[in-house]
Amino acid sequence: MLSLVLWYNVAMLFKSFFKKVSTTLVRMSPARRIFLSFAMVILVGSLLLSLPFVQAETSSASYFDHLFTTVSMVCVTGLFTLPVASTYNVWGQLICMFLIQIGGLGLMTFIGVFYTQSKQKLSLRSRETLQESFSYEESRSLKDFIRSIFLTTFLIEGLGAFLLSFRLIPEFGLARGIFTSIFLAISAFCNAGFDNFGSTSLSSFQTDPLINLVIAGLIITGGLGFMVWFDLASQVKKSQKRKLRFHTKLVLGLTVGILLFGTVTTLCTEWGNAGTIGNLTVPEKILVSFFQTVSMRTAGFASIDFTQARSVTLLLYIFQMFLGGAPGGTAGGLKITTFFVLILFARTELLGLPHVNICQRTIDPKTVQKSFSVFIIFLLTFLLGLLLLGLTAKDNPPFIHLMFETISALATVGVTANLTPELGRLALSVVMMLMFIGRIGPLTLLVSLADYQPDKKDMIHYMKADITIG
């Protein structure tokens, strides 16, 4: 009875929190609203997870551990200093699921639902923020878009939990099996990488086809982006044939290509490695290689020990984590469409072509410029984070493990070569900073903090500067 009263008070706290946040963020720019919304959720979440009644009997966590876990959950990363299973009881794990769901969809989406359900009109700034959060380009029917996001999310997560329960209920019993299935489904769809098994992630289910394929399906679904799924769904609903958007075709093609590339390269580099997949059968090697490639798209689940993987494999994983998923979804990283635009621009420059063209279409120069801005800022953030982590990490860990940890945090992936629990608080603070920047986007962070008003001289077109490059 006492637990129900405490849980009711927590629910009322969240309700009051949403109202206050929606009022506070009304007059801010979209970038600042995204920045502050995530920061507020992290603060409240860390306080909730530090409450005594949500702690497991085996918990030895400090507030710093709760803060790190909250940042990782809200930023849908998956890194932790202490396992969820040994730190939080059922109530704590319910809060964890809620934080992961907010992190995956964004607080502004929940605020948007609050407004639509109360039949209040969304302000122009709210619409701009939601469009920026999901890379939604159309201004009409935004309310329907928000409702569709929630409906699609809960349907997919529900289907995933239902399928996982066929394996987890026999393993853990009815109550815990259903709860664990829901936890995993939410975590996988939001690309969070958390589980409530322990510190070994999915290693005990390494060769289980149902667990691996269902979780991989949830990861891919969340990483494709909501616009892609809504475009695909429109093909089924409408009787008249309508072509898919070019963005949808591009995302699907790049996703298939990256998954194929990652699976094949993992098989080639780890085929005879007894520490990873060397002792498995051929079908099991393919399954594990495919699952880890999917997980590197910012999900963070692990079915192998990365300390046993070859350095060249980790380097290939670093590249895949750097690319990330598609825009407008729950994945992080640079985004595959951004990287593709840069490749097309490089080709255009090498061939001396006047426009960036692909499949009888020309990419807007502003899109190319934004892609370059995002790439440069993301790369510089990665290098700065790597430098800071290298300076603050103890015991001089291998450089490839530091790179692996840095991009895992920045791309909100959540895999680690067993480095996270060994880091000191200063290094963990660097990791938290990278996770936060990676979730909201380095460009969004700079815009939210700069508040720069262009001067008249910045708008003047001067004579051309004589600079030689190359």
Side-chain angles (χ1 to χ4, degrees):
M1 184 65 183
L2 180 60
S3 296
L4 290 176
V5 173
L6 290 172
W7 186 247
Y8 174 79
N9 291 332
V10 170
M12 291 299 101
L13 178 62
F14 267 106
K15 182 179 179 181
S16 175
F17 171 69
F18 278 127
K19 288 183 178 180
K20 290 182 179 179
V21 168
S22 61
T23 303
T24 304
L25 301 178
V26 165
R27 297 183 179 179
M28 294 184 179
S29 66
R32 283 195 172 185
R33 296 173 86 174
I34 294 173
F35 170 80
L36 288 177
S37 65
F38 277 99
M40 289 180 180
V41 173
I42 289 171
L43 176 61
V44 174
S46 64
L47 294 175
L48 289 176
L49 288 182
S50 61
L51 294 175
F53 80 94
V54 304
Q55 307 298 311
E57 294 181 357
T58 56
S59 175
S60 59
S62 63
Y63 176 75
F64 187 88
D65 295 312
H66 298 309
L67 178 62
F68 187 92
T69 299
T70 304
V71 172
S72 187
M73 287 180 171
V74 174
C75 298
V76 289
T77 305
L79 297 174
F80 56 83
T81 54
L82 294 172
V84 170
S86 61
T87 306
Y88 306 110
N89 58 24
V90 174
W91 300 111
Q93 291 179 31
L94 280 172
I95 295 176
C96 290
M97 284 193 288
F98 194 53
L99 291 173
I100 292 171
Q101 194 76 82
I102 292 179
L105 298 182
L107 177 63
M108 293 307 302
T109 310
F110 284 83
I111 292 175
V113 170
F114 171 78
Y115 271 93
T116 55
Q117 292 301 315
S118 59
K119 297 183 179 180
Q120 298 183 42
K121 186 176 180 181
L122 282 169
S123 65
L124 180 60
R125 285 184 178 271
S126 296
R127 297 173 68 89
E128 290 175 351
T129 305
L130 288 168
Q131 289 176 214
E132 186 168 326
S133 297
F134 288 98
S135 303
Y136 181 62
E137 298 174 354
E138 300 177 8
S139 58
R140 63 182 183 276
S141 302
L142 186 58
K143 291 183 179 180
D144 292 337
F145 182 70
I146 296 172
R147 292 193 189 99
S148 298
I149 287 174
F150 271 80
L151 180 62
T152 303
T153 297
F154 295 144
L155 283 176
I156 294 175
E157 289 176 348
L159 177 60
F162 175 73
L163 294 174
L164 290 171
S165 65
F166 283 97
R167 178 66 179 85
L168 297 179
I169 288 178
E171 180 77 17
F172 300 111
L174 181 62
R176 187 186 171 191
I178 293 175
F179 184 82
T180 303
S181 299
I182 296 173
F183 191 101
L184 276 180
I186 292 175
S187 181
F189 180 78
C190 292
N191 282 213
F194 277 96
D195 62 80
N196 53 356
F197 296 135
S199 60
T200 57
S201 192
L202 299 181
S203 297
S204 57
F205 300 95
Q206 184 185 46
T207 58
D208 189 305
L210 178 62
I211 296 292
N212 281 262
L213 294 178
V214 171
I215 291 181
L218 289 167
I219 295 169
I220 294 172
T221 304
L224 286 177
F226 293 102
M227 290 187 298
V228 172
W229 279 107
F230 295 158
D231 192 24
L232 291 171
S234 67
Q235 305 300 305
V236 179
K237 292 180 180 179
K238 295 185 177 181
S239 57
Q240 57 181 0
K241 292 184 178 180
R242 185 178 68 86
K243 292 184 178 179
L244 290 172
R245 295 178 59 210
F246 180 74
H247 171 81
T248 301
K249 295 178 182 178
L250 180 61
V251 168
L252 293 176
L254 290 175
T255 299
V256 172
I258 291 173
L259 292 180
L260 182 62
F261 168 80
T263 303
V264 172
T265 53
T266 300
L267 283 171
C268 292
T269 57
E270 294 296 319
W271 185 273
N273 187 351
T276 53
I277 65 174
N279 295 329
L280 304 179
T281 64
V282 174
E284 290 174 343
K285 288 180 179 181
I286 296 174
L287 178 65
V288 174
S289 299
F290 171 74
F291 180 81
Q292 284 305 150
T293 299
V294 172
S295 188
M296 290 303 152
R297 302 186 74 245
T298 79
F301 293 101
S303 59
I304 64 173
D305 184 356
F306 294 109
T307 61
Q308 301 297 316
R310 298 179 61 191
S311 296
V312 65
T313 305
L314 296 182
L315 186 61
L316 290 168
Y317 284 159
I318 288 171
F319 173 70
Q320 293 172 50
M321 287 190 283
F322 192 91
L323 294 184
T330 58
L334 177 67
K335 301 297 189 297
I336 53 178
T337 49
T338 303
F339 182 75
F340 185 72
V341 170
L342 295 177
I343 295 297
L344 291 179
F345 179 74
R347 171 184 173 274
T348 300
E349 290 296 306
L350 288 173
L351 298 179
L353 303 176
H355 306 292
V356 182
N357 296 335
I358 178 68
C359 297
Q360 298 181 341
R361 286 175 172 82
T362 299
I363 299 177
D364 189 340
K366 290 184 178 180
T367 302
V368 178
Q369 292 175 2
K370 185 176 181 180
S371 298
F372 256 104
S373 300
V374 172
F375 172 74
I376 293 299
I377 295 173
F378 194 85
L379 179 61
L380 290 178
T381 305
F382 166 68
L383 294 176
L384 178 60
L386 179 60
L387 175 64
L388 293 175
L389 192 60
L391 291 173
T392 55
K394 300 177 181 178
D395 301 326
N396 193 26
F399 184 70
I400 190 67
H401 290 177
L402 285 175
M403 289 183 64
F404 195 74
E405 188 85 9
T406 303
I407 194 60
S408 176
L410 180 60
T412 66
V413 180
V415 290
T416 179
N418 296 339
L419 186 59
T420 308
E422 304 300 324
L423 296 175
R425 290 194 172 185
L426 190 57
L428 289 174
S429 299
V430 174
V431 174
M432 283 194 288
M433 176 191 69
L434 290 171
M435 291 190 291
F436 185 77
I437 293 174
R439 181 62 185 95
I440 67 172
L443 191 60
T444 301
L445 177 65
L446 291 179
V447 171
S448 66
L449 297 179
D451 195 21
Y452 176 68
Q453 298 295 331
D455 194 88
K456 289 183 178 180
K457 63 181 181 180
D458 294 325
M459 309 303 292
I460 299 175
H461 188 282
Y462 295 100
M463 61 182 293
K464 292 183 179 180
D466 184 16
I467 299 178
T468 304
I469 61 174

